[in-house]
């Protein structure tokens, strides 16, 4: 059984497949009717109007209707498009068991526990016949698929066949009067519409189900006596043919299979059984653990069955329908109906080659699964699931491709799958022993090659290579060298399709397609919601594949799309040009012609073959929203522009591709404020001042216009703006423009006109216009404002722009392939007229007004009607002396701007630095602190970055220099590169210059030594720690220097640990025992000899004073071994040794054994003797007791003790 779909729900009592769509209705014991899409696995709708269980449900063959019958005695007819019940048929007096539409007439047959069968006309909504005769519940009733018969089964232990011929005659309106008269008599005197034709008795218990054979005069029934009975009938009688025994409980439903000679039955014994009609034996049984089966339904057209049980339903197939086939060059070998057949793609000739053995086994699903062909030997390997996996080897006689009737004895063998791997060798998978057997054409095993993994299937992967399917991956295995060539993690793979050149492979799973190269390097993965069925490579390297209902394509970059829809599933055998050759489920060869334009276009874009793209745009009808969206998404808005006629879309695409010229044309056609505004923003970004100006004029955006003139230094137009504001009576606009112009008199005049006399007076006084100030003070009288004392006024003037007027210059780069070639495609005559207009509009362009008039003046103001009227009444403005200039055309983008597109921005230096480097210092210098921290965590186990923050900032600022340009421009940051010189290649970036280097650390080390010698231990500790904190952020060049850096870490670590111990000892005056121990441990740090002498002298003194003479003597001996140059030290040591000879004792027992080698824990300062478990710091390698694991290292204060780290990276030479 091949389960296609499963649901979990209440008990399912009724099922019905839709004849055309992939839908199934399930009626539940809870009263709900569910409509499922079994292909997608989704619930489409639910209908919930019945009160109580719904036992019967059925789709109409052609109308959007279905009928249901339930325990509420109601039959409901529903329209699934309108999602509602159309009407209810009432008449039955008890539970309704089954309902069914007639395939031709507007009839419904229903069976009920009221012991009757009713036939209803669903168009007139009336009951047209009641069939009585059963004397117990009628469990089911159904129409014959072709004849005028009804079969019913009842708990009265009988099956009845009813003749409804007279009902049919009555429905068809009679043509002649005599017939009509006789019919009226029949109606009046109670003639019978349906008569019992046969009563089939033979079951010992109540019969639950009976159904007709679709073509033959056979009936099958199932009953509570656990038997399935087969009946035959002719015109006069019906008789029992055979009984099929095997079910262990009541048989609930039974039916003939539409396509095969089998009976399918299910039962309350929780099983579905399949029986052979001809042999009348059980073929197969499918069981569920806990669920009794209640209902079966078969698809009217396809090879699908459904069964309802206690907790849901399953949709399943009994056998695979995929024909086994193999393609060889221009021909195809495939298996159909016990024959091997041969098909030639070029001539489309189909011939029978040889008959192949029909499996003698009685179980299902033994048809061939795979087929492998060897062209040189003309041999075919056919694998099937027979006997747990077996194969047959057939040698095709040279002459039999035309005849194909001689049966030959095949060479057989057991094995998971068999494939040819060479001219005359094939491989067979032995799953039991996990090995591959190599066999020759005589079916004799040669080599046995064990596999280093557990494979469950093998596929061809080139000569002597196998592609093996392992649990969650696929592996290519070389049989000669016995090595794995490549492997790839995948979902469960069912089929493998190699491209013609064997360079690419498509791995097909149930819902996924993985494309990889011949070494199994992953290229892309596609996921499908509907099951993937087959695939083939076309000549361009595009993978064409089919799902249950589509033919689709997949480009090398993973983009996919639909080529066309399918009515029935097909299996692609070959793709050649625009033709797809395929096999359907009936084993028929078909050639489907497809339109490949879309995917060839996308492929050309992908491969940058723009000449193809150009010709396709010109010659084909490629269009549609999907294609435009695709081009936009892939960064080709300029190409999309040439498909589009809609001005709004053209405008958006033009803005996206920076094509101002087309954007202006579209904005003019649309002429909406929002579009002009967006055009202005884009033109401003490109520095195209003329278009910006025009766009602002179209939107009457006077404030922005004034500002534009200010920053472009166009004082002449600014003064015109001042006049316009005057005409519009816009006081703020006037004031702003006067301010932008630096026109003090105008500002005073404006303030005076609006009555702000104090402000006017102050402005005049500050700017030294004393005559005006005096006049205003006279007007103000006593209200003259006072000016602040002791302040020196400064003149407020707008700065002079550096670049005046004109568009920004754009770089000259090569013209894009699509620019010139496509300029004239899909554009109207309007554009051609435009060509005539002189494109050079810079300084000469006067301001264009909203009506297309030049604005040398006030016209904009006159445009507002109400304002114009107001002025006529007031007569306040004298406008007579203004001359109106001639009309100007819409400006076009300057020629330079359209011919050359600006280059794309380059990659920032910081990004180049980080891309090339794995060194934390270089990431910090680039400003990528987070990646620097991640690198340090991975390489050295760092956790405490607070100490490194100032160094990160120093690195970043130190690797950049900053140039102030001029006041209105931002500061330019320049990357400072390491090792740069004048002869360096200009476009090749070197690594960043770093503020820390190794020589600085050597200087610091000397300073640390000096501080230690002078006894300034706290200062020395600070110096050594700063070295330890800087080392991760230095970069050296050679491997020798890397070793020196690592050596430096060890030296500094010893000093940091030693100094920490010594400083701790000095705090321990009140604990003499611990003081002695710490003094002793200090002498075991790896120090320079002068410092070791000082440490030994200190330890000797502390121990001698505390009375530990023997321990002190050990220190004295070690001190003398260093040959001290200071005589007083040597003398002191000799005296201690003499004293010890007299009294070799220790007053107190110390945790210190100098005979047993040890290291000192950096956190607890206790010895860790050889053999004891310890953990270390991944950076400074200090050792710690095991309990410190996961804590911050107390020596370097940076890394986590025991962290997993890859090690210090401080040179590019380590990475190579």
């Amino acid at each position: 059984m091949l389960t296609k779909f499963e649901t979990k729900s209440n008990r399912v009592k009724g099922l019905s497949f839709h004849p055309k769509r992939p839908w199934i209705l399930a009626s539940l014991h809870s009263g709900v009717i569910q409509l499922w899409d079994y292909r997608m696995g989704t619930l489409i709708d639910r209908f919930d109007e019945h009160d109580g269980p719904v036992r019967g449900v059925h789709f109409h063959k052609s109308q959007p209707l279905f009928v249901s019958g339930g325990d509420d005695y109601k039959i409901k007819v529903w329209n699934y498009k309108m999602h509602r019940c159309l009407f209810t048929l009432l008449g039955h007096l008890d539970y309704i068991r089954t309902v069914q539409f007639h395939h031709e007439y507007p009839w419904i047959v229903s069976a009920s526990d009221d012991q009757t069968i009713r036939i209803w006309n669903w168009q007139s909504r009336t009951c047209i016949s009641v069939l009585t005769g059963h004397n117990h519940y009628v469990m089911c009733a159904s129409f014959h698929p072709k004849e005028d018969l009804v079969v019913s089964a009842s708990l009265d232990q009988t099956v009845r066949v009813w003749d409804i011929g007279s009902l049919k005659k009555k429905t068809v309106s009679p043509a002649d009067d005599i017939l009509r008269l006789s019919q009226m008599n029949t109606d009046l005197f109670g003639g019978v519409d349906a008569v019992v034709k046969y009563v089939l008795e033979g079951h010992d218990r109540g019969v639950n189900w009976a159904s007709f054979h679709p073509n033959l005069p056979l009936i099958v029934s199932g009953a509570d006596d656990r038997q399935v009975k087969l009946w035959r009938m002719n015109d006069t009688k019906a008789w029992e043919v055979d009984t099929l025994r095997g079910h262990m409980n009541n048989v609930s439903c039974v039916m003939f299979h539409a396509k095969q000679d089998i009976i399918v039955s299910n039962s309350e014994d929780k099983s579905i059984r399949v029986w052979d009609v001809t042999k009348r034996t059980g073929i197969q049984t499918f069981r569920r653990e806990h669920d009794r089966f209640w209902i079966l339904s078969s698809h009217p057209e396809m090879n699908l069955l459904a069964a309802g049980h206690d907790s849901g339903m399953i949709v399943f197939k009994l056998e695979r329908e995929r024909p086994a086939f193999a393609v060889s060059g221009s021909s195809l070998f495939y298996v159909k109906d016990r024959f091997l057949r041969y098909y030639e793609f070029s001539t489309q000739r189909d011939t029978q080659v040889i008959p192949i053995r029909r499996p003698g086994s009685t179980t299902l699903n033994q048809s061939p699964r795979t087929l492998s062909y060897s062209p040189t030997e003309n041999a075919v390997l056919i694998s099937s699931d027979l006997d747990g996996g077996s194969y047959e080897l057939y040698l095709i006689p040279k002459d039999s491709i035309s005849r194909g009737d001689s049966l030959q004895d095949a060479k057989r063998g057991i094995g998971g799958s068999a494939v040819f791997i060479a001219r005359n060798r094939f491989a067979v998978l032995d799953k039991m022993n996990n090995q591959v057997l190599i066999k020759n054409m005589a079916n004799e095993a040669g080599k046995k090659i064990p596999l280093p993994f557990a494979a469950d299937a093998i596929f061809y992967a080139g000569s002597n290579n196998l592609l093996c399917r392992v649990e969650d991956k696929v592996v290519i295995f070389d049989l000669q060298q016995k090595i794995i060539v490549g492997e790839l993690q995948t979902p469960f793979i069912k089929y493998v399709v190699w491209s013609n050149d064997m360079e690419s492979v498509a791995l097909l799973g149930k819902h996924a397609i993985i494309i990889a190269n011949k070494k199994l390097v992953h290229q892309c993965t596609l996921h499908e919601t509907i099951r993937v069925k087959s695939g083939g490579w076309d000549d361009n390297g595009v993978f064409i594949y089919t799902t249950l209902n589509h033919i689709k394509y997949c480009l090398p970059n993973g983009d996919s799309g639909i080529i066309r829809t399918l009515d029935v599933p097909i299996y692609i055998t070959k793709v050649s040009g625009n033709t797809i050759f395929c096999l359907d489920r009936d084993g028929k060869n078909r050639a489907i012609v497809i339109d490949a334009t879309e995917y060839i276009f996308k492929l050309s874009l992908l491969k940058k073959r723009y000449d193809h793209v150009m010709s396709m745009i010109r010659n084909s009808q490629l269009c549609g929203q999907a294609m435009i969206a695709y081009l936009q998404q892939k960064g080709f808005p300029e190409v999309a522009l040439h498909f589009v006629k809609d001005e709004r879309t053209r405008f958006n695409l033009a803005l996206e591709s920076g094509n101002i010229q087309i954007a202006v044309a579209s904005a003019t056609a649309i002429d909406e404020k929002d579009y002009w505004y967006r055009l202005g923003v884009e033109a401003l970004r490109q520095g195209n001042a003329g278009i910006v100006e025009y766009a602002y004029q179209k939107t009457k955006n006077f404030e922005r216009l004034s500002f534009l003139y200010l920053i472009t230094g166009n004082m002449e137009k600014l003064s015109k703006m001042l006049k316009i504001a005057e005409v519009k009576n816009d006081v703020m606009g006037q004031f702003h423009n006067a301010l932008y112009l630096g026109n003090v008199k105008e500002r005073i005049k404006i303030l005076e006109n609006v009555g702000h006399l104090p402000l006017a007076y102050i402005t005049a006084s500050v700017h030294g216009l004393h005559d005006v100030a005096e006049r205003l003070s006279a007007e103000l009288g006593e209200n003259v404002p006072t000016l602040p004392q002791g302040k020196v006024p400064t003149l407020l003037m707008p700065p002079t722009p550096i670049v005046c007027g004109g568009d920004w210059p754009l770089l000259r780069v090569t013209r894009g392939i699509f620019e010139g070639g496509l300029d004239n495609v899909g554009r109207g005559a309007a554009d051609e007229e435009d060509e005539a207009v002189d494109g050079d509009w810079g300084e000469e362009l006067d301001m264009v007004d909203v009506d297309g008039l030049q604005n040398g003046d006030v016209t904009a103001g006159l445009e507002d009607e109400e304002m114009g009227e107001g002025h006529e009444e007031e007569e306040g403005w004298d406008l007579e002396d203004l001359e109106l200039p001639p009309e100007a055309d819409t400006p076009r983008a300057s020629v330079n701007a359209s011919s050359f597109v600006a280059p794309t921005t380059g990659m920032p230096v910081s990004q180049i630095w980080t891309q090339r480097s794995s060194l934390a210092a270089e990431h910090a210098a680039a400003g990528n602190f987070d990646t620097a921290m991640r690198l340090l965590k991975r390489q050295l186990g760092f956790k405490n970055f607070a100490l490194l923050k100032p160094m990160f900032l120093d690195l970043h600022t130190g690797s950049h220099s900053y140039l102030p340009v001029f006041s209105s421009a931002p500061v330019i940051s320049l990357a400072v590169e390491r090792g740069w010189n004048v002869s360096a290649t200009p476009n090749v970036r070197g690594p960043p210059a770093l503020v820390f280097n190794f020589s600085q650390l050597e200087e610091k080390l000397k300073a640390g030594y000096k501080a230690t010698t002078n006894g300034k231990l706290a200062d020395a500790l600070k110096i050594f720690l700063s070295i330890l904190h800087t080392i991760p952020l230095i970069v050296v060049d050679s491997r020798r220097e890397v070793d020196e850096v690592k050596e430096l870490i060890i030296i500094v670590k010893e000093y940091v640990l030693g100094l920490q111990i010594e400083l701790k000892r000095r705090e321990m005056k009140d604990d003499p025992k611990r003081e002695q121990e710490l003094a002793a441990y200090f002498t075991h740090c790896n120090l320079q000899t002068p410092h070791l002498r000082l440490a030994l002298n200190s330890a000797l003194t502390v121990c001698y004073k505390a009375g530990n003479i023997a321990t002190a003597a050990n220190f004295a001996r070690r001190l003398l071994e260093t040959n001290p140059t200071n005589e007083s030290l040597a003398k002191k040591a000799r005296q201690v040794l003499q004293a010890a000879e007299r009294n070799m004792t220790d007053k107190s027992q110390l945790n210190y054994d100098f005979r047993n080698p040890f290291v000192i824990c950096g956190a607890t300062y206790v010895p860790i003797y050889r053999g004891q478990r310890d953990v270390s710091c991944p950076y400074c390698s200090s050792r710690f007791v095991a309990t410190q694991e996961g804590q911050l290292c107390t020596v370097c204060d940076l890394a986590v003790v025991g962290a997993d780290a890859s090690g210090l990276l401080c040179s590019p030479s380590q990475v190579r």
Side-chain angles (χ1 to χ4, degrees), residues 625-865:
Q625 287 300 322
M627 186 54 83
I628 292 162
Y630 179 83
L631 287 165
Q632 250 179 304
Q633 177 199 343
K634 294 292 170 191
F636 295 104
E638 69 276 19
V639 187
L641 208 48
H642 300 280
F643 290 119
V644 185
K645 299 285 181 283
D646 174 54
E647 290 297 351
R648 289 167 199 273
T649 316
R650 274 178 77 80
F651 179 83
N652 291 333
L653 290 168
L655 279 199
E656 200 173 321
S657 54
N659 193 330
I660 289 290
Q661 212 168 355
I662 292 180
V664 172
S666 296
T668 311
I670 300 164
D671 201 20
E672 283 179 20
K673 197 169 181 176
D674 184 44
Y675 285 83
W676 284 115
Y677 172 70
R678 286 171 56 203
L679 175 66
V681 172
E682 175 61 21
L684 193 58
R685 195 184 68 79
Q686 290 191 16
N688 197 326
I691 296 282
V692 180
E693 180 183 7
Y694 183 59
Y696 287 168
Q697 288 166 5
K698 293 295 273 182
T699 54
K700 299 188 190 176
N701 206 328
F702 296 122
E703 292 86 354
R704 284 172 188 270
L705 262 177
S706 295
F707 193 70
L708 177 73
Y709 294 143
L710 171 68
I711 59 171
T712 52
N714 199 329
M715 294 300 151
E716 186 190 338
K717 294 213 177 138
L718 251 180
S719 51
K720 289 180 181 175
M721 289 305 296
L722 180 61
K723 287 184 184 175
I724 288 178
E726 213 171 305
V727 174
K728 287 178 68 71
N729 202 12
D730 174 6
V731 179
M732 277 315 289
Q734 276 174 271
F735 191 78
H736 274 140
N737 285 314
L739 195 60
Y740 291 161
L741 282 162
N743 190 333
V744 181
K745 288 181 178 174
E746 192 62 41
R747 271 158 56 200
I748 296 169
K749 181 179 153 192
I750 293 162
L751 290 167
E752 201 180 336
N753 287 341
V754 294
H756 282 295
L757 295 181
L759 278 175
Y761 169 75
I762 291 172
T763 310
S765 304
V766 170
H767 288 86
L769 298 171
H770 297 302
D771 48 345
V772 181
E774 282 167 18
R775 177 170 62 75
L776 288 169
S777 72
E779 281 187 45
L780 283 162
E782 292 175 9
N783 299 330
V784 177
T786 54
L787 293 174
Q789 296 299 314
K791 300 279 186 183
V792 180
T794 50
L795 183 62
L796 183 65
M797 284 293 283
T800 312
I802 288 165
V803 183
C804 288
D807 297 342
W808 289 357
L810 293 181
L811 276 176
R812 286 182 173 260
V813 292
T814 351
R815 200 168 158 125
I817 179 84
F818 300 116
E819 296 296 314
L822 296 176
D823 266 355
N824 306 322
V825 179
R827 292 225 309 248
D831 285 7
E832 283 153 35
E833 288 169 24
D834 270 2
E835 300 293 335
V837 180
D838 181 13
D840 182 19
W841 50 283
E843 288 307 287
E844 304 85 67
L845 174 82
D846 264 355
M847 194 166 145
V848 179
D849 181 276
V850 191
D851 284 334
L853 298 173
Q854 254 184 334
N855 120 45
D857 31 51
V858 235
T859 29
L862 297 177
E863 215 206 322
D864 298 74
E865 288 175 21

